[in-house]
Amino acid sequence: AITVGFVGVGVTYLSGLMGNSGAGNNAIFSVYLLGALVSGFSMCMLNTVVNPMLNTLGGGGNKGNQLIQLGGSCNSIGATIVPVLVGYLMGDVSQATISDAAPAMWIAMGIFALAFIVLSSMSIPEPYIEKEQKVEKGKYSAWSFRHFVLGVVAIFFYVGVEVGIPNVLQKWLQNGGLNVESGAEAIASTVAATYWLLMLVGRLVGAALGAKVSAKKMLSAVSILGLALVGCAIFLDPAISVNLPVFKGTSGFGLAEVPVNAALLVLCGLCTSVMWGGIFNLAVEGL
């Protein structure tokens, strides 16, 4: 997964070099998309590997959920810092090119390389498997267990909700959701960034409470709260405005006047934050 990630970022960096060399826009964009695809595939692989490792280290149950939430917090720190870093490097987005983000891509490739070197020098045995043992294939697969199947379905819908809320919210605010003559795009971006920041806060809280509160109770509580927040966001009048504290990247925090619906959707970040870890923990319990 780390090797694939390094290659993906490298391909994205290559698209920036192509821009500097005067290549055609279609070719540059195609290479950029290829790099994004490979990088995204790396993230899928990392999730497939890291979450089971954290859950196993915790022995499953509450402790396993706590470690997954802690790992998710590190993920959220990156999701909060990187847009700020790239925005700082690229400056005026309307005038920027992908090559302006080259320093960030060098940092990413350096992190991948360092992680590869560290893991190559360590011995990490597979849990519960001895090389000398003959492992007979059982008659049951993971798909034989109802809670695993339900977990797969839940993760599928969860990812759509987690990513869909800030993306749809940002598009709405950019395209008429805000009653402003100019600057809608900047305000929409800070509102979306605040959602991701609240996901970080929620995961840190989840990690602190994970050893004491079961994944089932945690997931039930945030699901009910999330339903209430989204329901109110649907039915309240968008003409009602509130001052929302928003994260403005390198400028710190400030207030932005947004429809109350937007503020409620931003608060959903606290709910979606712990859902991934809770669903995963429950889905693989006992397997």
Side-chain angles (χ1 to χ4, degrees), residues 139-161:
K139 60 180 179 178
Y140 297 107
S141 72
W143 295 102
S144 304
F145 299 91
R146 180 171 172 266
H147 67 290
F148 177 80
V149 175
L150 291 174
V152 171
V153 174
I155 284 286
F156 175 82
F157 284 107
Y158 160 74
V159 173
V161 171

Side-chain angles (χ1 to χ4, degrees), residues 35 68 92 102 106 112 116 129 134 138 154 157 160 170 174 178 180 195 215 217 220 233 257-258 282:
I68 294 175
D92 184 0
W106 277 109
F112 276 127
F116 183 88
I129 294 178
K134 258 193 175 181
F157 284 107
Q170 185 169 353
Q174 284 175 340
L178 291 167
V180 294
Y195 170 91
K217 289 180 180 177
S220 299
E257 188 174 344
V258 299
L282 292 171

Side-chain angles (χ1 to χ4, degrees), residues 5 10 13 48 62 64 67 71 74 94 96 133 144 151 162 181 186 192 199 237 245 250 268 273 287:
Y13 174 72
T48 307
N62 291 5
L67 290 184
C74 296
S94 63
Q133 256 183 350
S144 304
E162 178 209 316
E181 293 182 2
M199 279 197 69
D237 185 357
T250 53
C268 287
S273 60
L287 302 184

Side-chain angles (χ1 to χ4, degrees), residues 34-115:
L34 177 63
L37 176 66
V38 176
S39 298
F41 186 54
S42 166
M43 298 307 297
C44 293
M45 294 173 70
L46 285 168
N47 273 312
T48 307
V49 175
V50 174
N51 285 299
M53 289 179 72
L54 291 171
N55 199 51
T56 301
L57 282 170
N62 291 5
K63 189 67 176 177
N65 180 39
Q66 184 180 39
L67 290 184
I68 294 175
Q69 300 299 346
L70 188 60
S73 300
C74 296
N75 190 337
S76 292
I77 290 172
T80 303
I81 291 175
V82 169
V84 177
L85 173 63
V86 175
Y88 175 77
L89 291 171
M90 298 187 77
D92 184 0
V93 177
S94 63
Q95 303 296 324
T97 63
I98 188 65
S99 59
D100 292 327
M105 287 184 274
W106 277 109
I107 293 170
M109 287 190 286
I111 292 171
F112 276 127
L114 178 61

Side-chain angles (χ1 to χ4, degrees), residues 16-23 28:
L17 293 181
M18 291 174 64
N20 293 336
S21 65
I28 295 170

Side-chain angles (χ1 to χ4, degrees), residues 62-63 65-74 76-77 196-215 217-219 221-222 225 267 269-275 277-278:
N62 291 5
K63 189 67 176 177
N65 180 39
Q66 184 180 39
L67 290 184
I68 294 175
Q69 300 299 346
L70 188 60
S73 300
C74 296
S76 292
I77 290 172
W196 295 110
L197 181 66
L198 289 182
M199 279 197 69
L200 168 60
V201 173
R203 281 173 169 167
L204 289 172
V205 173
L209 299 177
K212 302 173 183 177
V213 181
S214 70
K217 289 180 180 177
M218 195 180 291
L219 192 58
V222 295
L225 178 59
L267 289 174
L270 292 171
C271 302
T272 56
S273 60
V274 297
M275 284 183 168

